[in-house]
Amino acid sequence: MTHVLLHTLLDTLKTVPILFVVYLFIEWLEHRVDFVKFMNGKGARFGPLIGALVGCIPQCGFSAASASLYSGGMIGASTLIAVFLSTSDEAIPIMLSNLSDMDLVVWLILVKVAVAVAAGYLLKYTLFRSETLRVRTLGQHDCGHDHDHAGGECGCCSHHGSIFKSAVVHTLKITAFLAVTMFIINLVVEWIGEDNLEAVLLSGSVFQPILTALIGLIPGCATSVLLTQLLINGSISFGAAIAGLSAGTGFGYLVLFKECRNKKSAFKILVCTYLISVVAGMAIHLAML
């Protein structure tokens, strides 16, 4: 129990600084009409590319922060999926700690970014081609005034102190939600046991990415640690590791379903991320036979 509590606390605290900065950024952007125009215009074409590059930074907080940006209408679904696919959480630091895995780290980053960019642009011009961004007023209920933040500024909300307070409140709410949820998930994983998870994997099978991608859907940084150790130990193939680490988003899914009003859109994003991860993992597995 002590191990689970400590693990949950460390995982949650690591995301707090990034979440606070992003929420502060969101509060400021709510008053920027030019930003909405840019993201619907010239900036939209670079969304998946920027998302893939940001996602490959080894920090599980970026996927959660990106989910908040999507829920606020500031980035599109294809950009968020690109972030999710390129996210590796703790995989890269663990591999970097072992100098013999340097080539593996490079290939992992390159392949995941390539998959994220390709999938992001494919979805952008197919499944999500009709999507239009519009900033949702995340802080409207905090100020108590009925007005459109995207169309103008409210005196109380434009004040830096109010923006800072709103960001703090939002960060604390999400942090508490993540802590409770992650404690339950970590407790279940601890009860099942990592050895048992490894035992059920289809070693050497082309269908292994299906299972590792399912494991990747489990929220939290511990998932990436498990998948990385399985890869280093030779229990899963490189393709299966790509599938699992691409489907894994740290706290991304939790924040997405917590903040996104349209649960169908959130579920669509989760399904797209999972299916792309599986297809990419199986293709890589077959190519390396």
Side-chain angles (χ1 to χ4, degrees):
M1 183 64 70
T2 303
H3 172 72
V4 173
L5 284 171
L6 182 61
H7 200 64
T8 300
L9 180 63
L10 292 176
D11 276 356
T12 304
L13 288 179
K14 284 189 294 185
T15 67
V16 173
I18 294 178
L19 287 177
F20 173 71
V21 171
V22 170
Y23 286 133
L24 193 63
F25 183 56
I26 289 174
E27 292 294 333
W28 177 75
L29 280 180
E30 285 179 354
H31 309 286
R32 304 288 300 184
V33 180
D34 54 343
F35 173 79
V36 182
K37 292 180 179 179
F38 175 75
M39 291 306 296
N40 275 295
K42 296 180 179 180
R45 71 184 70 173
F46 302 110
L49 176 60
I50 296 174
L53 294 177
V54 170
C56 73
I57 300 174
Q59 225 302 338
C60 56
F62 283 110
S63 60
S66 298
S68 292
L69 290 175
Y70 170 76
S71 299
M74 297 176 187
I75 62 173
S78 58
T79 299
L80 178 62
I81 292 174
V83 174
F84 282 177
L85 290 171
S86 64
T87 297
S88 299
D89 291 346
E90 306 299 328
I92 295 175
I94 292 174
M95 290 182 180
L96 287 176
S97 65
N98 188 346
L99 296 179
S100 62
D101 294 324
M102 291 300 295
D103 290 342
L104 193 60
V105 173
V106 175
W107 277 109
L108 179 71
I109 295 175
L110 290 177
V111 170
K112 280 173 61 62
V113 169
V115 170
V117 172
Y121 278 108
L122 177 64
L123 292 172
K124 177 179 175 59
Y125 294 111
T126 55
L127 191 60
F128 299 107
R129 65 183 180 277
S130 60
E131 182 181 51
T132 301
L133 301 183
R134 184 180 183 277
V135 174
R136 176 170 65 84
T137 307
L138 295 176
Q140 183 171 350
H141 61 280
D142 294 323
C143 69
H145 289 78
D146 185 15
H147 57 79
D148 187 357
H149 285 240
E153 293 189 359
C154 168
C156 68
C157 295
S158 62
H159 190 274
H160 292 294
S162 298
I163 291 176
F164 182 85
K165 179 181 178 181
S166 181
V168 169
V169 171
H170 210 128
T171 302
L172 290 177
K173 287 181 179 179
I174 291 298
T175 300
F177 172 77
L178 291 178
V180 173
T181 307
M182 284 310 305
F183 174 74
I184 296 173
I185 292 173
N186 286 335
L187 199 62
V188 172
V189 172
E190 187 77 14
W191 177 66
I192 295 176
E194 294 184 5
D195 292 337
N196 292 330
L197 287 175
E198 181 178 346
V200 300
L201 294 176
L202 302 173
S203 180
S205 172
V206 69
F207 299 108
Q208 192 178 59
I210 297 176
L211 297 178
T212 54
L214 283 175
I215 294 176
L217 293 180
I218 301 173
C221 301
T223 304
S224 62
V225 174
L226 170 62
L227 291 170
T228 303
Q229 291 296 337
L230 292 175
L231 175 62
I232 294 175
N233 296 338
S235 301
I236 61 176
S237 66
F238 181 72
I242 290 293
L245 293 174
S246 296
T249 65
F251 297 127
Y253 296 131
L254 291 179
V255 176
L256 176 63
F257 280 92
K258 176 67 169 58
E259 295 199 339
C260 184
R261 293 179 177 179
N262 191 334
K263 303 305 179 185
K264 289 184 179 179
S265 295
F267 184 73
K268 184 190 294 186
I269 290 172
L270 184 148
V271 171
C272 286
T273 305
Y274 173 76
L275 292 179
I276 292 169
S277 300
V278 171
V279 171
M282 294 179 71
I284 293 169
H285 181 93
L286 291 172
M288 297 182 67
L289 290 179

